Amino acid sequence: MGAMDLPHGHPQGDDALEQLVARVPLFSALVPDELTAVAQRVRPRKHPRQEQLYGAGEKNSKLMIIHAGRVKIYRITESGHEQVIRILGPGDFLGESTFISGATSDHFALTLEASDICELHHDELHDYLLAYPSVAVKMVETLSARLAGTEHQLSMLAGEDAEHRLAAYLMALHDASGKALVKLPTTKKDVASFLGLTPETLSRKLTQFEEIGWLRLGSRRQIELLDVEALRLI
Amino acid sequence: MGAMDLPHGHPQGDDALEQLVARVPLFSALVPDELTAVAQRVRPRKHPRQEQLYGAGEKNSKLMIIHAGRVKIYRITESGHEQVIRILGPGDFLGESTFISGATSDHFALTLEASDICELHHDELHDYLLAYPSVAVKMVETLSARLAGTEHQLSMLAGEDAEHRLAAYLMALHDASGKALVKLPTTKKDVASFLGLTPETLSRKLTQFEEIGWLRLGSRRQIELLDVEALRLI
DNA sequence: CGCAATGTTGATGTAACTCAAACCTAGTGG
DNA sequence: CCACTAGGTTTGAGTTACATCAACATTGCG
């Protein structure tokens, strides 16, 4: 668990790294040779839980790719409260927002659990994208998808009430896992922030849904969805 | 202003088209030869005002680049009301969200005024990005910036009240133009939707700001900002 | 110039927030 | 490994900002 803190350079390690890189959607279109080239330049690091990867105001100059763990992206609004933007997991990348030269990010990234994350300096990223256009195309596609997701969340926040938002969120979790037993990716406090609610309102709506019989609240952030159709139709 | 409805093919027309393409941020990193190549493949079109460029469900397979005019991007929420996502102007592009093969867009694009828009089929776009990686890099940067903007709007909607949202919006208009006399890009109805408010609330807050002396409401969507500092500090 | 869409103003209702207090859970350190 | 504690969660009561409904005024397009 602590043997990869520093690059060792032995063949076994490089192979493993290449395997990791190959699993990242961003690099999935690369041919083996290119994959090897990328793997050699990427710096893997372990991060403990609750570590701040970057903060607002810093000029974070690294693209980070998550191999294992979860990362919370959030903003501090002008009125001072925390707004969760998204939760990232394995295969996702972050730090691209400051790729536009000079711009400093206005949000924070925090590991929610111990995480394995690869880093790539922005200068290098720029060269990579020019050298491997397929990575650039993949990145365009990923950003498009992420943008569409954020826009969807935006119109949910603006247009729907608390119940609709919560139901839609639960359905998204359900569709992602395919199972009736879903697990919140983080604390209810953060989920509430993500949904634009106070923790109190989230708690109330969840118990309300439970009373109606649409779901059952379990321990350890588990929720068993009993009536998926009802939630979808809300 | 109306002589370019159809491509004419004479040198003058091509030069003009090349000039237009060169002004699009997306293509700003291209060298002259590449610029010519792009200009030859791009199809310019005129659109009347209030024309639907694409709608939800359609598999829109074109990247569109705005040369002149304004385009409203909006979604119909599940509860049936219109949510404005953004207003695009000259130099902006749209239609990239369905670039991810197969995905159908869930939002609509409508011209707010007569517009000149160039089209590029997605297949061609894919080839272009591979052939001209600098365009892909530019697109990554643009999408990053757009994502950051949407995330900002998101946290505004979730975290701030009506006054803060309106004040921040007015400040954004002010910062974009640099002048104290700003002009709403579209109807107040649409601006209200963009800010996640009802038209009634927007109207009330604007008159309230006027009574305080922070601004003066003019005709034709003009607003004169009298106390920029107060608005910024709200 | 006339009509439909947009914008304004007022009265009323309610969903969700705030504040507060008690309870529970999960990581801490001994 | 267990007990401690800080943060997370739940429940309750009271408040308010904003939506809704409605009537009227204005704008600007055909």
Side-chain angles (χ1 to χ4, degrees), chain A residues 2-16:
Chain A
M4 250 215 294
D5 285 313
L6 298 170
H8 287 63
H10 56 71
Q12 171 61 19
D14 283 3
D15 279 1

Side-chain angles (χ1 to χ4, degrees), chain B residues 49 161-162 196-198 200-201 204:
Chain B
R49 80 180 234 107
D161 62 16
L197 304 171
T198 55
E200 292 96 322
T201 301
R204 279 185 246 270

Side-chain angles (χ1 to χ4, degrees), chain B residues 199-211:
Chain B
E200 292 96 322
T201 301
L202 175 61
S203 175
R204 279 185 246 270
K205 289 298 171 193
L206 277 173
T207 49
Q208 190 182 315
F209 282 6
E210 190 173 31
E211 278 161 11

Side-chain angles (χ1 to χ4, degrees), chain A residues 124-194:
Chain A
E124 289 183 71
L125 174 61
H126 195 272
D127 296 344
Y128 269 56
L129 294 185
L130 291 177
Y132 308 119
S134 63
V135 174
V137 170
K138 205 80 191 173
M139 204 160 162
V140 166
E141 289 175 357
T142 309
L143 286 174
S144 279
R146 199 181 276 187
L147 185 61
T150 306
E151 283 169 353
H152 189 268
Q153 197 192 341
L154 181 78
S155 64
M156 287 285 296
L157 282 187
E160 313 294 338
D161 62 16
E163 279 173 30
H164 281 83
R165 283 183 245 169
L166 175 54
Y169 180 70
L170 293 174
M171 289 329 298
L173 286 182
H174 175 259
D175 294 345
S177 75
K179 293 182 293 190
L181 189 70
V182 300
K183 186 174 187 295
L184 298 181
T186 172
T187 62
K188 285 183 186 157
K189 181 176 176 285
D190 284 346
V191 172
S193 164
F194 181 76

Side-chain angles (χ1 to χ4, degrees), chain A residues 45-88:
Chain A
R45 270 199 62 191
K46 290 220 165 251
H47 297 265
R49 78 181 237 107
Q50 295 286 82
E51 189 182 52
Q52 187 155 308
L53 297 175
Y54 62 79
E58 299 172 26
K59 69 159 184 40
N60 163 51
S61 53
K62 295 187 288 286
L63 182 81
M64 303 181 188
I65 300 157
I66 305 173
H67 288 309
R70 291 188 177 281
V71 174
K72 171 170 81 170
I73 309 290
Y74 63 100
R75 246 177 62 89
I76 303 296
T77 64
E78 278 136 72
S79 51
H81 93 272
E82 177 182 314
Q83 168 66 35
V84 176
I85 307 281
R86 69 169 60 86
I87 305 293
L88 298 175

Side-chain angles (χ1 to χ4, degrees), chain B residues 127-229:
Chain B
D127 296 344
Y128 270 56
L129 295 185
L130 290 178
Y132 309 118
S134 62
V135 174
V137 170
K138 206 78 190 174
M139 203 161 163
V140 166
E141 289 174 358
T142 310
L143 286 174
S144 279
R146 200 181 275 188
L147 186 60
T150 307
E151 285 169 353
H152 190 268
Q153 197 192 339
L154 181 78
S155 63
M156 288 286 295
L157 283 188
E160 312 295 338
D161 62 16
E163 278 173 29
H164 281 83
R165 283 183 244 168
L166 175 54
Y169 180 71
L170 293 173
M171 290 329 299
L173 285 181
H174 176 259
D175 293 346
S177 75
K179 293 181 293 190
L181 189 70
V182 300
K183 186 174 186 295
L184 299 180
T186 173
T187 63
K188 285 184 186 158
K189 180 176 174 284
D190 284 345
V191 171
S193 164
F194 181 75
L195 294 175
L197 304 171
T198 55
E200 292 96 322
T201 301
L202 175 61
S203 175
R204 279 185 246 270
K205 289 298 171 193
L206 277 173
T207 49
Q208 190 182 315
F209 282 6
E210 190 173 31
E211 278 161 11
I212 297 173
W214 288 344
L215 51 78
R216 185 172 2 222
L217 295 169
S219 59
R220 311 196 100 264
R221 289 165 195 167
Q222 310 261 22
I223 299 176
E224 189 183 356
L225 304 177
L226 300 174
D227 194 341
V228 174
E229 285 315 303

